[in-house]
Amino acid sequence: MVDIKRQPITKLLLLSSVLAVSLTLGACQKNAPSTESEGTDATASAEMRATLANTEVEPDANETVAASEVTELSVEQQMIANLARHRWTLMTAKGASDQPLAPLINIKDQVTLLFNQGQDTLSYSVGCNTMSAAYELQAQRLTIEDSMSTKMSCGNLDSAESLLNTLMQGSSELTVTEGETPLLTQVTNDSMTLIWTGRLTSQAKYNSKGETVFWAVSSEKIACGDADSRMCLQVKPVTYNDQGLKTSEGKWTAFKGDIDGYQHDGMHEEVLRLQRYQIDNNESAEGEEYAYVLDAVIESAVAE
């Protein structure tokens, strides 16, 4: 009987000792430097709870699931980042019976797909309206919600635009083949297959964000220099205010470089919106400071 009555007292004394140690540790922690990590405090707290419960500390199941999800998301985000580094141009389009989709194949060089950097949106076009939509990527399954589009009449491109928009809606499986010219294969739920070729975007190529500038381009070229027999574009800078009104123009000069994406036809006076990227002089054959990429032609008139 004596032993039976003394057992709870022994447990009470042990519990009191543990609590006293806990209070002592708490007082030490209050006086401890604030540079200690929260992770250390959490571990100590977990060990104390285990001591009182006489159980071993085990990993939190929720934390294990979260770590797994982060790893899976990281793989998806890497794929998204790779997709966003390229501008994709259609190479081929086939139906479920492997027949070519003529409306798209006939204009494939102007059918493009772009995953917007840092956003869960993409845009695609057949060279007329730009259609944009939110998307979700799980593993390799791409799901696209309802798209929005500009409303220009596209004439003979209407059927191709409607077909592309239909193909892009819903879910499809993506496969990326790496290489000097990467390939993106997209297979829709209806077994339609689109294969895209990738080209690095200017931002990825130059590893910097572009600066928007406006240039007027003359229909006539001029000599690149006094002792240079080459003919160069004749350009001058143009500035606009916040309302889109032209406020000033610079002087005509010879531009010795190239404008990526621009074709000079010698018949039009044009104003171009460009993206300008600073480049390493060591990577430039002629020591140019900037690379220029066409963003849009905002004015065009037949030269007199």
Side-chain angles (χ1 to χ4, degrees):
M1 296 294 293
V2 174
D3 293 338
I4 294 175
K5 291 180 180 180
R6 292 169 62 184
Q7 187 174 359
I9 296 175
T10 303
K11 287 187 175 180
L12 180 60
L13 290 174
L14 176 60
L15 180 59
S16 299
S17 300
V18 172
L19 291 173
V21 171
S22 176
L23 292 172
T24 303
L25 287 174
C28 292
Q29 289 173 350
K30 288 182 180 179
N31 297 327
S34 59
T35 55
E36 289 187 348
S37 67
E38 294 181 0
T40 303
D41 294 340
T43 302
S45 177
E47 290 176 349
M48 182 58 67
R49 291 196 302 269
T51 301
L52 293 174
N54 195 25
T55 58
E56 295 181 358
V57 178
E58 295 182 356
D60 191 316
N62 292 330
E63 292 179 0
T64 304
V65 172
S68 173
E69 289 175 349
V70 168
T71 301
E72 182 179 357
L73 181 62
S74 177
V75 171
E76 291 168 344
Q77 290 301 318
Q78 288 176 12
M79 184 175 184
I80 291 172
N82 186 33
L83 291 171
R85 283 171 52 83
H86 295 84
R87 180 182 180 88
W88 302 94
T89 302
L90 187 66
M91 185 173 76
T92 187
K94 295 181 179 181
S97 302
D98 209 33
Q99 77 278 11
L101 300 177
L104 294 176
I105 290 297
N106 294 339
I107 57 166
K108 62 180 182 179
D109 291 341
Q110 64 192 61
V111 181
T112 57
L113 170 65
L114 189 66
F115 291 80
N116 299 316
Q117 187 79 36
Q119 305 174 36
D120 294 330
T121 62
L122 51 73
S123 55
Y124 47 93
S125 175
V126 296
C128 182
N129 290 296
T130 297
M131 293 166 282
S132 301
Y135 74 88
E136 182 179 3
L137 185 67
Q138 292 184 333
Q140 292 180 298
R141 177 165 286 271
L142 177 73
T143 303
I144 298 176
E145 300 177 358
D146 293 339
S147 64
M148 297 180 294
S149 174
T150 54
K151 301 297 183 181
M152 293 187 296
S153 176
C154 300
N156 58 1
L157 292 177
D158 281 342
S159 60
E161 185 172 275
S162 178
L163 175 58
L164 178 63
N165 195 37
T166 300
L167 292 173
M168 296 300 293
Q169 297 297 311
S171 297
S172 54
E173 291 289 328
L174 300 184
T175 304
V176 178
T177 304
E178 300 289 349
E180 184 175 346
T181 302
L183 296 179
L184 170 62
T185 301
Q186 179 181 5
V187 181
T188 72
N189 280 345
D190 297 330
S191 299
M192 307 289 191
T193 301
L194 304 176
I195 300 180
W196 310 81
T197 59
R199 179 185 178 189
L200 280 177
T201 64
S202 299
Q203 185 168 335
K205 181 179 179 180
Y206 299 112
N207 197 29
S208 64
K209 186 176 181 180
E211 175 190 5
T212 301
V213 296
F214 296 89
W215 278 4
V217 181
S218 173
S219 59
E220 297 182 358
K221 290 187 175 183
I222 59 175
C224 294
D226 293 338
D228 196 331
S229 60
R230 295 178 303 165
M231 300 299 288
C232 289
L233 290 178
Q234 188 177 187
V235 305
K236 63 180 177 181
V238 181
T239 57
Y240 295 85
N241 61 18
D242 293 339
Q243 288 71 44
L245 300 176
K246 188 181 298 183
T247 57
S248 66
E249 297 182 6
K251 295 181 179 180
W252 291 107
T253 59
F255 175 59
K256 298 181 180 180
D258 295 315
I259 300 175
D260 189 7
Y262 176 65
Q263 294 291 330
H264 183 260
D265 62 11
M267 297 183 294
H268 292 81
E269 304 282 348
E270 297 176 311
V271 177
L272 313 180
R273 185 176 68 208
L274 308 174
Q275 291 299 311
R276 181 171 70 181
Y277 299 88
Q278 190 160 16
I279 57 177
D280 188 342
N281 287 341
N282 294 329
E283 298 179 1
S284 173
E286 298 189 13
E288 295 99 337
E289 184 178 2
Y290 298 103
Y292 295 88
V293 179
L294 178 66
D295 192 2
V297 178
I298 63 171
E299 291 183 27
S300 183
V302 177
E304 296 179 358

